[in-house]
Amino acid sequence: MRRPPPPTLLLLLLPLLAGTQEAKAPPACGRPRKLSRMVGGRDALEREWPWQASIQRDGSHFCGGSLLSPRWVLTAAHCFSNTSDTAPYRVLLGARQLLRPGPHAVYARVRRVESNPLYRGMASSADVALVELEAPVTFSDHILPVCLPDPSVSFAPGMSCWVTGWGSPSEQDRLPSPRTLQKLSVPLIDTPKCNLLYGTGAEPDSQPKAIQDDMLCAGFAEGKKDACKGDSGGPLVCRVDQSWVQAGVISWGEGCARPNRPGVYIRVTSHHRWIRRIIPELQFQGRAGGRRRDPRASGPPGTRPHAAPRLLSLEPLPQ
């Protein structure tokens, strides 16, 4: 019969065991340790949007993205013209400034890119892609996942949400050095109104762009505030209960911050099944506020006011 360890040894072991259990506990998605939103401000704060990713090609930022899990980032399909050669790509996480990422930032190599097979080109439906990292990243105060909604979560017109990115501050210019992450609060716009706006002032001989079922509009009829080149693929997040949930992926727009041309995002809930098929272990945020995992999935459970108009574009940031 094995003798129990002496009481002194137990006392020494207890803190170690407690620390091990605490380290294994997964962090809650969509809950940054620091949350401070400044209406009328311009720069995001440190640790404010810890899921924000910079997708880079040959060392230069060209699209945004959002961290879903230690290995996966969600972005736009139009960011990748070639998904077979991943060598030029890397993902920057945990940064606020692109040119001075800081000691908490991590560069991750890309293992593969999965574009939604239904994507058919600029301004089409299914403009979403999943980027798998070569190695899992370690979560910290600066690097945390965003929550993804399951289909039970709805985002009502007029709801105030936030879009973030390092894209251009105008149609011609880039962010000044050190290129600090920007945030913008935008209201959601219902699809009939968005279609009406895009039909206003359209060229007589052109077909107005139609807002598809898997698209979500957000922004202002008067323009002036929007996302732009280099913001593509980044997240549109809304507060649901006590967590930040990603409602959309920055996809396209007509020009940048033009009147009657709000930003158009791909609705994340429309592609729940596809995301679940690629990442079966991913948890989703349910309507009741709990993190929910689809029972059919296999595997273990596991904000930009601006300095200048920030606009939405069909293209990644040019090199």
Side-chain angles (χ1 to χ4, degrees):
M1 183 174 180
R2 182 176 296 177
R3 297 176 61 186
T8 304
L9 181 58
L10 284 174
L11 291 174
L12 292 173
L13 288 174
L14 281 175
L16 295 175
L17 292 173
T20 301
Q21 292 171 351
E22 183 177 354
K24 289 182 178 179
C29 66
R31 297 191 182 187
R33 310 292 168 84
K34 181 174 184 178
L35 177 63
S36 178
R37 294 171 292 158
M38 299 183 295
V39 176
R42 58 184 69 174
D43 294 346
L45 303 181
E46 200 74 37
R47 298 179 292 162
E48 193 173 15
W49 311 105
W51 43 82
Q52 178 72 42
S54 165
I55 300 178
Q56 304 186 357
R57 181 176 53 239
D58 297 323
S60 297
H61 169 86
F62 69 96
C63 270
S66 52
L67 185 67
L68 306 184
S69 74
R71 274 192 182 270
W72 289 95
V73 170
L74 177 64
T75 187
H78 79 255
C79 290
F80 297 93
S81 57
N82 179 12
T83 59
S84 59
D85 180 16
T86 60
Y89 301 114
R90 65 178 180 177
V91 176
L92 174 63
L93 295 161
R96 175 173 171 263
Q97 297 176 334
L98 287 182
L99 302 186
R100 293 201 296 259
H104 305 286
V106 171
Y107 285 100
R109 294 184 180 276
V110 174
R111 180 181 179 185
R112 63 172 166 145
V113 177
E114 291 279 352
S115 291
N116 193 305
L118 300 178
Y119 176 62
R120 294 293 179 267
M122 291 294 186
S124 83
S125 294
D127 184 15
V128 286
L130 289 166
V131 176
E132 184 181 16
L133 307 179
E134 271 195 358
V137 296
T138 301
F139 292 152
S140 67
D141 285 358
H142 291 78
I143 301 175
L144 289 171
V146 69
C147 296
L148 285 195
D150 73 15
S152 71
V153 179
S154 61
F155 299 94
M159 187 175 184
S160 181
C161 300
W162 290 81
V163 59
T164 51
W166 285 283
S168 306
S170 71
E171 291 193 51
Q172 294 81 26
D173 304 319
R174 290 192 180 192
L175 279 175
S177 180
R179 299 183 68 184
T180 302
L181 181 68
Q182 302 292 292
K183 59 184 180 180
L184 172 69
S185 176
V186 288
L188 302 185
I189 301 172
D190 65 63
T191 298
K193 180 178 179 180
C194 194
N195 273 316
L196 185 63
L197 289 172
Y198 267 88
T200 302
E203 296 294 330
D205 56 346
S206 67
Q207 181 70 24
K209 293 182 175 67
I211 309 304
Q212 305 297 325
D213 291 341
D214 74 334
M215 295 177 184
L216 180 69
C217 293
F220 304 89
E222 64 271 23
K224 299 182 180 179
K225 303 176 184 179
D226 202 351
C228 197
K229 292 180 179 179
D231 289 324
S232 294
L236 172 74
V237 298
C238 309
R239 197 71 182 269
V240 177
D241 297 323
Q242 299 303 312
S243 300
W244 288 102
V245 176
Q246 185 167 351
V249 175
I250 299 175
S251 180
W252 64 274
E254 195 171 293
C256 287
R258 298 177 185 178
N260 302 314
R261 299 296 185 266
V264 184
Y265 305 77
I266 297 298
R267 194 184 296 268
V268 172
T269 52
S270 296
H271 299 282
H272 172 261
R273 288 187 178 182
W274 175 75
I275 296 171
R276 190 192 68 210
R277 186 167 63 248
I278 303 297
I279 320 174
E281 71 275 14
L282 191 65
Q283 296 179 349
F284 292 82
Q285 178 87 13
R287 184 170 49 196
R291 295 171 71 187
R292 182 179 300 176
R293 180 171 163 270
D294 193 286
R296 292 168 290 180
S298 60
T303 25
R304 119 186 134 181
H306 56 291
R310 292 190 42 93
L311 326 158
L312 193 67
S313 171
L314 293 175
E315 301 176 355
L317 195 68
Q319 300 301 299

